[in-house]
Amino acid sequence: MKTSTPTSIEIIFDAAAHDLGGFTVRRALPTAARRMVGPFTFFDHMGPGVFAPGHGIDVRPHPHIGLATVTYLFDGEIFHRDSLGSAQAIRPGDINWMNAGRGIVHSERTSATVRERGSNISGLQLWVALPTAHEESEPTFAHHPAATLPQTQRDGVAIKLLAGSAYGLTSPVATLSPLFYVDVHMSEGSRLPLPAEHEERALYVIDGAVDCDGLRVEPGKLVVFSKDAQLDLRALSPTRLVQIGGAPLDGKRTIFWNFVSSSKARIDQAAEDWKAGRFPKVPGDEIEFIPLPA
């Protein structure tokens, strides 16, 4: 829902909540009001949720083109498999970066061991659209353990740089366009300036509340800042938030289902390829799949 905002803020809206049975997903991007922030074109906040023993996440194999998926957990575990043969558990603080390029298939499930004992789940999955020159690149997968991601502290603020560059830090995660993605913990009353080096910037509050130029922002809200905005964020309570943004991509992108491309024809071809079974299988998860939506 759009609300009245100061001039430093382009738009603020609530992430749309969806009940997936056992946990809630709040989708902040894309929306009719804003399709992208920098190269970020998809933003899902998963949970928090609790799975009883014998239950868990089962996202069956499905395809992607023209984007990178970025998975980051606050709690719990997800086991990733893809058509490159990757098989990787992602745990809190890690970054999984899967570059779909010309096409990849992956699944995301709760492993048998974790499922047996029951588990929690909470985290984020984002998509980063690829520059036109890289949309048909070879797919890749990279896992970055939490300990490899740079962190710093300043005046009651703890900053963890997940991808790109900001606040004097640079992440080891390989990206294909200028961007930033940071996880921030703020003590009550602490302040943090917006990173000035990026053209497009947004924040999403996980817990707590933050003052943005006189506007109180609470959990589940995405704030997109005006291009030249210069302001300090001020924590109104102990607060956790993430910031995303970067340079706009080289042209508009079409999004259909799990596909992102600068070409509508390319998306149509990907949809036909998935329907016809021409995408590769996921080793170890070859039986099930998500059908192309009508």
Side-chain angles (χ1 to χ4, degrees):
M1 178 183 298
K2 187 176 179 180
T3 61
S4 176
T5 60
T7 57
S8 61
I9 294 174
E10 179 183 312
I11 191 171
I12 177 170
F13 49 85
D14 297 316
H18 304 276
D19 184 358
L20 297 186
F23 69 106
T24 298
V25 169
R26 296 172 179 84
R27 181 157 299 167
L29 287 175
T31 70
R34 184 80 188 211
R35 308 298 292 175
M36 302 177 72
V37 177
F40 291 92
T41 189
F42 181 91
F43 188 118
D44 263 8
H45 178 196
M46 303 175 288
V50 179
F51 294 112
H55 298 270
I57 290 176
D58 281 300
V59 181
R60 295 165 291 162
H62 57 281
H64 291 286
I65 67 164
L67 59 90
T69 63
V70 190
T71 306
Y72 181 65
L73 297 183
F74 305 134
D75 193 13
E77 177 184 307
I78 295 175
F79 200 85
H80 164 100
R81 295 183 186 273
D82 63 44
S83 51
L84 300 176
S86 310
Q88 177 67 55
I90 180 168
R91 300 184 176 96
D94 301 343
I95 282 284
N96 265 21
W97 187 284
M98 185 183 75
N99 176 24
R102 61 179 175 77
I104 198 168
V105 181
H106 75 137
S107 63
E108 298 157 297
R109 299 185 185 268
T110 302
S111 68
T113 302
V114 174
R115 190 183 300 264
E116 184 177 355
R117 65 173 184 259
S119 62
N120 300 332
I121 191 69
S122 178
L124 302 173
Q125 187 169 86
L126 280 58
W127 295 355
V128 175
L130 303 180
T132 303
H134 297 281
E135 286 184 312
E136 297 300 318
S137 59
E138 290 295 314
T140 60
F141 173 80
H143 175 75
H144 298 269
T148 66
L149 301 173
Q151 302 183 55
T152 190
Q153 294 197 26
R154 55 169 76 176
D155 301 324
V157 180
I159 300 169
K160 182 176 181 180
L161 199 287
L162 307 181
S165 298
Y167 298 113
L169 303 175
T170 299
S171 170
V173 177
T175 65
L176 295 171
S177 65
L179 59 84
F180 75 104
Y181 180 17
V182 294
D183 181 6
V184 178
H185 287 81
M186 303 180 70
S187 61
E188 184 174 355
S190 64
R191 293 177 177 270
L192 181 68
L194 293 178
E197 66 270 32
H198 294 284
E199 182 175 346
E200 296 191 356
R201 299 157 298 170
L203 70 77
Y204 178 86
V205 176
I206 306 296
D207 295 303
V210 66
D211 179 283
C212 297
D213 201 6
L215 187 69
R216 181 184 178 94
V217 182
E218 298 181 328
K221 291 186 180 293
L222 184 79
V223 179
V224 181
F225 295 95
S226 303
K227 180 178 177 180
D228 298 319
Q230 297 181 12
L231 59 92
D232 282 357
L233 310 174
R234 182 171 62 90
L236 301 175
S237 64
T239 298
R240 186 175 197 176
L241 59 87
V242 295
Q243 295 186 68
I244 61 170
L249 280 186
D250 51 349
K252 293 182 179 179
R253 294 296 185 271
T254 297
I255 303 173
F256 168 70
W257 192 37
N258 301 312
F259 306 136
V260 174
S261 180
S262 58
S263 166
K264 174 64 164 57
R266 179 67 181 91
I267 285 183
D268 291 343
Q269 182 62 59
E272 286 300 314
D273 287 344
W274 180 246
K275 189 175 181 180
R278 290 190 285 265
F279 274 82
K281 299 287 187 180
V282 175
D285 202 345
E286 298 97 339
I287 306 303
E288 295 185 305
F289 65 93
I290 299 177
L292 185 76

